[in-house]
Amino acid sequence: MKKVLALAAVIILQCAAPAIKTITPEEMAERKKEAEKCYSIGAEHLKQQNLDAALENFHTSLSYDSLYYESWIGIGTVQRAKRDIVAAEEAFNKAKTIAPKRSKAYEALGDLYLVTDQYDKAIQEYQAGLKVDSTFIELYFGLADALDKAGNTNAADSVYKKAINLFPDDLGLRRGYGRLLVRQGRYKEAEEQLKPCCLRFPDVLELLEEYANVLVEVGKYEAALKEYNSILTKKPDNVTIIMKIGDVYMRQKKYGEAKKQFLKARDLAPNDALPHVYLGDLNTRQGNYGAAENELRTALKIDNRLTVGYVLLGDLYRRQGE
């Protein structure tokens, strides 16, 4: 009887245990190919901001290969765009677990923590990523930005210097460092970093404007005017640039030229308070206090929260009382 029961138990166990199918190398290669195909479709949807379609394809990719690194990064990116921070963090950590020697997950986590103001965590991820891959330039950007936002500007400065020393031809690093220097009021050093960027990319108008602003701060007015006017050749109705040109003329005490620019800006943007502010400042400098007050009051009527308008109006009253 015992032998019969034992035999029956063996038979039951054999029937209950499913056969484990061995995947051949050819089948594995085909599954990876399908995973890559679905990832590519998802990446294209992500580029077009079709988040749900992107997420669906990334998950389909994982059904073929659950360890497909790029799809986990893609899922985290979608979840971050959807503002599901927890899900994004989980996906990026999964990618990091799958391939701890690849740096993209560290950057993605660092960026996630950076935008959620978790600066210490961001710094840790960027630093860990650089230990894995010291040639991944984006990690230097992130680390410097996180250190700067955490209030450690000296460390951020050191990161940029190290990165530029390693990659002297990377103009993105120079522009990032230039911006940091501007925020610190180190305009002469910022000029040195931004100048080669402008020489390489003369058609990037935002970059030209940043460089011209620095030139104004270091007193190189004619060089600044050249850059501003270069922008106007491509965008002749750029009111901000027109006002900046007028400001340079005002600094040079070329009041007639300054007035022309401010009036031009006012005509182009009649509902903008700033041309009136500049005209108020100009008239105050020239001693035309009545005209100055009219312009400043007009500016404050357009925007009653404009602090600079109240400051200049106070300065005007002070001058009138002297």
Side-chain angles (χ1 to χ4, degrees), residues 129-130 133-141 158-177 193 196-197 200:
L130 286 170
D133 183 2
S134 61
T135 67
F136 191 14
I137 292 176
E138 295 301 321
L139 290 168
Y140 291 100
F141 275 116
S158 296
V159 169
Y160 270 122
K161 285 180 177 177
K162 178 180 179 180
I164 290 171
N165 185 55
L166 290 170
F167 311 103
D169 295 329
D170 191 286
L171 297 180
L173 283 171
R174 292 189 178 276
R175 186 179 185 184
Y177 187 35
Q193 297 300 328
C197 301
R200 179 78 66 84

Side-chain angles (χ1 to χ4, degrees), residues 19 44 50 55-56 60 81 88 96 109 115 122 126 131 159 165 195 197 204 209 216 227 249-250 253 268 286 317-318:
E44 186 60 34
N50 300 324
L55 192 60
E56 180 181 353
T60 302
K96 194 167 67 169
L109 270 171
V115 298
Y126 292 133
K131 288 179 182 179
V159 169
N165 185 55
K195 184 176 181 178
C197 301
V204 180
E209 183 178 354
V216 172
E227 300 298 339
Y249 283 134
M250 191 161 61
K253 297 185 178 180
L268 286 169
Q286 292 181 293
Y317 293 149
R318 179 186 60 79

Side-chain angles (χ1 to χ4, degrees), residues 203-308:
D203 294 325
V204 180
L205 303 188
E206 183 183 352
L207 178 57
L208 292 183
E209 183 178 354
E210 290 176 15
Y211 181 50
N213 294 344
V214 168
L215 291 172
V216 172
E217 294 297 337
V218 297
K220 295 184 177 180
Y221 298 135
E222 294 303 323
L225 286 172
K226 180 181 177 182
E227 300 298 339
Y228 286 141
N229 280 307
S230 176
I231 296 171
L232 286 186
T233 61
K234 299 175 178 67
K235 288 192 173 182
D237 293 338
N238 188 319
V239 173
T240 298
I241 299 301
I242 292 168
M243 287 189 290
K244 287 185 176 184
I245 290 173
D247 182 55
V248 172
Y249 283 134
M250 191 161 61
R251 289 172 184 245
Q252 294 177 309
K253 297 185 178 180
K254 297 180 179 179
Y255 296 134
E257 292 299 321
K259 186 176 181 179
K260 289 179 184 177
Q261 299 301 319
F262 297 145
L263 289 173
K264 181 180 178 181
R266 188 186 67 181
D267 292 342
L268 286 169
N271 296 320
D272 189 337
L274 285 179
H276 296 282
V277 168
Y278 276 114
L279 283 166
D281 188 15
L282 176 64
N283 279 296
T284 298
R285 294 178 188 225
Q286 292 181 293
N288 303 324
Y289 298 139
E293 183 174 2
N294 287 336
E295 293 291 350
L296 293 172
R297 289 199 176 280
T298 300
L300 292 172
K301 186 177 181 180
I302 295 171
D303 184 357
N304 60 12
R305 296 170 298 176
L306 196 63
T307 302
V308 66

